[in-house]
Amino acid sequence: MDPLIFENGTLMVLDQTRLPAEVSYIEIHNHTHMAEAIRNLSIRGAPAIGAGAAYGIALGAKMIKEPDMAAFLEELDGVIKAITATRPTAQNLFRAAARMRQCAEQVGSPVLAKEALISEAKRIHREQYDQDMAISLHGLDVIPAGAAVLTHCNTGSLATAGYGTALGAIKLAHRHGKAVRVLATETRPLLQGARLTALELGEAGIPFELIADSAAGHYMARGKISLVITGADRIALNGDTANKIGTYTLAVLAGVHGLPFYIAAPLTTFDPAAATGNNIVIEERNTDEITFFNGVPSAPPNTPALNPAFDITPARLITAFITEQGLLRPGEICRIITRSA
Ligand code: MRU
């Protein structure tokens, strides 16, 4: 199950909103289609969004008729704006879009730019797998044999269009015979843990149990969890980390129970323009995701609700970041990522 397939000029996105019941692909013809697929979570997970956005921008560029380079770039900015207006927290989306813009600027004509953009999108997609494998290999250093790992949301191949970050490290530990077992949180409200992580763990043959998000403290108190590893949507320079709503609660619980709490993420998820978590925009989603369950009301009509998609885990609660360049303590981020204006 590949979340993103680009073959013979055709782009297909796995509709993750239908998993696990149905494996179906949507054909994406232009950037508007891709923006919609990102917005409605057909494609989700910060790195997969980045790769999908890159293809979306390349397809949008193909439709631009302008023969003049300056006018072409102006229209390309409109394409990029439409794509980046979808999910404000996912740093990889903005990183991929900036890289695509830079790629277009570097060639002399719209014809060449259109070709270069397709190649660049393929490169961004391909690089993800290598980054994920490097992250997963470094993850082996923090996962002891026989560990019970708690993870949140979905950070596997479905979330990165590669091998996975937090879930990549868990899968690799399993492949290395470390006899890991996993507690996967269901991840309310959209159940990325129940629908997607459970699917990936099952396919990989890794022993696991699905738990309600609110059961994590119970199992930590009973000594059933050795460590926590999650992914990230955006990481500030001081180490404050935005990830799926509920991550902060897990980090607090891990701290109280003396458990290591790791964030696995590629360097493309670090935001050189965010000094702290206060500079990270948290996506607020439609409250129907809270007041309805599978299209059926789960609260009285017109119940006021709040639906932040992410929260910020303060750096002090994070043991280390597992990146493709190795483990980074929060205080070491500035050594690798330099602040941008
Ligand atoms: O809303 P989603 O499903 O896109 O949220 C995904 C997460 O929060 C992931 O943990 C994060 O993007 C990292 S994916 C490797």
Side-chain angles (χ1 to χ4, degrees), residues 90-293:
Q91 167 68 0
N92 298 65
L93 166 60
F94 297 88
R95 190 61 82 94
R99 194 167 147 181
M100 294 296 278
R101 177 62 162 84
Q102 222 171 30
C103 164
E105 280 163 28
Q106 280 164 4
V107 288
S109 76
V111 174
L112 292 176
K114 289 175 191 181
E115 280 172 28
L117 286 169
I118 294 281
S119 305
E120 189 71 350
K122 287 184 185 166
R123 232 181 334 265
I124 289 172
H125 187 182
R126 219 175 22 243
E127 283 172 10
Q128 193 59 48
Y129 187 86
D130 297 337
Q131 282 167 16
D132 286 0
M133 280 315 287
I135 289 169
S136 301
L137 274 167
H138 290 298
L140 292 179
D141 294 340
V142 306
I143 304 179
V149 187
L150 181 99
T151 191
H152 189 52
C153 197
N154 171 263
T155 58
S157 311
L158 291 169
T160 69
Y163 186 69
T165 55
L167 200 52
I170 293 167
K171 288 193 290 185
L172 201 61
H174 171 76
R175 272 170 53 185
H176 280 233
K178 285 200 159 192
V180 286
R181 48 182 310 113
V182 178
L183 261 74
T185 56
E186 60 174 354
T187 317
R188 284 281 297 148
L190 296 176
L191 304 180
Q192 288 93 331
R195 296 185 301 103
L196 311 175
T197 300
L199 192 62
E200 289 201 47
L201 286 167
E203 281 192 346
I206 300 172
F208 77 98
E209 278 127 354
L210 183 66
I211 59 168
D213 297 358
S214 45
H218 170 75
Y219 287 110
M220 287 185 190
R222 295 200 159 192
K224 300 286 186 203
I225 294 168
S226 324
L227 72 159
V228 181
I229 316 182
T230 75
D233 256 66
R234 190 182 293 240
I235 302 164
L237 289 179
N238 73 339
D240 291 351
T241 296
N243 191 49
K244 180 53 58 196
I245 191 74
T247 305
Y248 171 44
T249 315
L250 293 174
V252 171
L253 282 170
V256 166
H257 292 92
L259 299 174
F261 184 92
Y262 294 99
I263 298 279
L267 294 176
T268 46
T269 303
F270 290 76
D271 181 356
T276 74
N278 291 335
N279 305 113
I280 298 177
V281 175
I282 297 292
E283 175 185 354
E284 295 284 340
R285 293 188 62 85
N286 193 316
T287 55
D288 285 0
E289 291 176 355
I290 301 284
T291 55
F292 285 77
F293 191 81

